């Protein structure tokens, strides 16, 4: 049975091998010595303040090491990748997928508020908000919101424009997800097939499918459980691709509370956890 790491290696997706942050900050990587102790401690405090803004998934020792190393390596000027959603309709703080609009999405609004707090601690961070344009090719979502592929693409473009207008004064970027990661869809499809065919992930995919049943009832109430499992595997694969991408480039990723957070841990990604659920 293959592990997730072996899957990625088989597809020639490189992984970032990171030294431990404490050793890095202590000068093992050659950045600081005793003469720079005061500067070093200020950097440590900035890492701690960054983690303090985040939720529980950022507060483990492993994740603290990852976040600290990215901040140290980039001289406190990290790239923060912030995946968003289309402007799906919502009620009581959760998407109901009855329609799709053309404005800033619910998750987009939550990400922006979270990113504002993060950039007060890391004022020179480069922020990239990503819009999942590939969702326009999902016939299940298309049926749920009553829009054709072409109409969904138009909604994507309008939401990108609305989000750009909202963050323009901050100098942040808003990009299509497949512009940021050109091989996203292809790699996601390959990983979905591997997750579905490898028995060691069966119970995990089943568990995540059960956890997402309420959401699936809003999107595709007539789907069989096996079809729902495939949707869960596809979402897991997307998180794996995103996690490998940010780890490979030494970025940070801002992610809301979701059953899929655990897949980021498989990749070496440094997670800035937005402690909000929208599902």
């Amino acid at each position: 049975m293959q592990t997730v790491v072996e899957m990625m290696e088989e597809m020639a997706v490189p992984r970032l091998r990171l030294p431990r942050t404490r050793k890095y900050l202590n000068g093992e990587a050659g950045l600081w010595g005793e003469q720079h102790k005061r500067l070093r401690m200020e950097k440590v405090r900035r890492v701690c303040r960054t983690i303090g803004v985040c939720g529980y998934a950022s507060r483990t020792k492993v994740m603290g090491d990852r976040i600290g190393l990215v901040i140290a390596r980039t001289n406190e000027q990290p790239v923060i990748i912030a995946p968003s959603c289309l402007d799906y309709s919502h009620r009581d703080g959760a998407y109901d997928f009855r329609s799709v609009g053309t404005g800033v999405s619910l998750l987009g609004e939550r990400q922006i508020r979270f990113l504002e707090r993060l950039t007060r601690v890391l004022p020179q961070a480069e922020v990239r908000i990503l819009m999942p344009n590939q969702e326009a090719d999902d016939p299940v979502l298309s049926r749920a919101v009553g829009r054709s592929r072409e109409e969904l693409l138009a909604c994507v473009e309008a939401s990108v424009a609305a989000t750009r207008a909202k963050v323009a004064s901050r100098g942040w970027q808003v990009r299509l997800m497949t512009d940021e990661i050109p091989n996203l869809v292809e790699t996601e499809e390959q990983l979905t097939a591997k997750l579905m065919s490898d028995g060691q992930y069966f119970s995990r995919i089943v568990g995540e499918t059960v956890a997402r049943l309420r959401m699936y009832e809003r999107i595709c109430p007539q789907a069989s459980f096996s079809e729902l499992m495939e949707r869960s595997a596809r979402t897991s694969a997307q998180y794996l691709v995103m996690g490998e991408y940010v780890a490979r480039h030494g970025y940070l990723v801002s992610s809301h509370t979701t059953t899929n957070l655990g897949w980021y841990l498989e990749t070496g990604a440094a997670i800035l956890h937005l402690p909000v659920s929208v599902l």
Side-chain angles (χ1 to χ4, degrees):
M1 294 183 182
Q2 286 183 308
T3 66
V4 168
V5 170
E6 288 168 341
M7 287 181 184
M8 305 304 273
E9 289 174 346
E10 182 179 288
M11 290 187 292
V13 179
R15 300 182 69 244
L16 187 66
R17 304 295 181 181
L18 303 180
R20 299 192 66 79
T21 303
R22 183 177 299 171
K23 293 180 180 178
Y24 191 86
L25 291 173
N26 283 340
E28 185 172 299
L31 287 187
W32 303 295
E34 281 302 315
Q35 67 272 31
H36 298 303
K37 184 175 181 180
R38 184 176 301 175
L39 175 62
R40 184 173 73 240
M41 292 310 300
E42 174 55 34
K43 291 179 182 290
V44 172
R45 284 192 289 269
R46 193 176 299 278
V47 170
C48 292
R49 289 197 297 271
T50 300
I51 294 171
V53 172
C54 302
Y56 63 85
S58 299
R59 299 186 180 188
T60 66
K61 188 177 187 302
V62 169
M63 200 54 61
D65 279 352
R66 293 182 187 178
I67 293 169
L69 180 59
V70 171
I71 292 174
R73 277 188 159 175
T74 59
N75 196 26
E76 302 181 21
Q77 301 176 61
V79 172
I80 301 176
I81 299 294
S84 187
C85 289
L86 304 191
D87 186 21
Y88 297 116
S89 58
H90 51 89
R91 182 178 181 182
D92 299 328
Y95 288 124
D96 59 22
F97 299 98
R98 294 182 178 181
S99 62
V100 63
T102 57
V104 181
S105 69
L106 172 65
L107 179 57
E109 293 281 5
R110 301 285 176 82
Q111 282 278 32
I112 289 168
R113 289 200 290 270
F114 182 54
L115 292 164
E116 286 173 342
R117 296 177 64 199
L118 285 169
T119 52
R120 282 197 287 270
V121 180
L122 297 168
Q124 297 191 51
E126 177 185 330
V127 174
R128 301 179 193 170
I129 298 173
L130 303 187
M131 197 69 66
N133 57 302
Q134 73 277 7
E135 291 184 2
D137 293 315
D138 186 335
V140 173
L141 284 174
S142 181
R143 286 194 297 271
V145 300
R147 298 273 192 156
S148 67
R149 177 181 183 274
E150 291 69 26
E151 289 172 329
L152 275 177
L153 286 173
C155 290
V156 170
E157 292 178 4
S159 286
V160 167
T163 308
R164 281 176 178 161
K166 190 172 183 70
V167 302
S169 62
R170 300 175 179 85
W172 299 351
Q173 300 177 45
V174 182
R175 307 187 64 190
L176 299 179
M177 198 169 284
T178 58
D179 284 347
E180 184 73 27
I181 311 176
N183 66 341
L184 171 67
V185 174
E186 177 186 357
T187 309
E188 179 184 308
E189 289 176 353
Q190 294 172 1
L191 277 174
T192 298
K194 287 180 177 292
L195 290 174
M196 288 295 290
S197 63
D198 193 329
Q200 70 173 319
Y201 297 108
F202 180 81
S203 60
R204 184 169 180 177
I205 298 299
V206 168
E208 293 188 359
T209 302
V210 170
R212 299 166 74 88
L213 282 178
R214 289 184 61 187
M215 182 195 71
Y216 288 145
E217 287 174 0
R218 304 171 209 150
I219 300 174
C220 45
Q222 305 303 319
S224 67
F225 193 79
S226 61
E227 290 171 333
L228 297 181
M229 282 184 62
E230 185 171 353
R231 291 194 69 82
S232 295
R234 186 178 304 119
T235 303
S236 300
Q238 181 175 310
Y239 276 74
L240 286 169
V241 176
M242 181 67 67
E244 285 289 348
Y245 175 77
V246 299
R248 186 188 332 137
H249 290 278
Y251 297 161
L252 301 170
V253 60
S254 170
S255 183
H256 66 293
T257 300
T258 169
T259 57
N260 299 108
L261 273 179
W263 294 102
Y264 277 146
L265 297 176
E266 308 271 359
T267 66
I271 305 169
L272 302 173
H273 176 211
L274 164 59
V276 168
S277 176
V278 293
L279 301 176

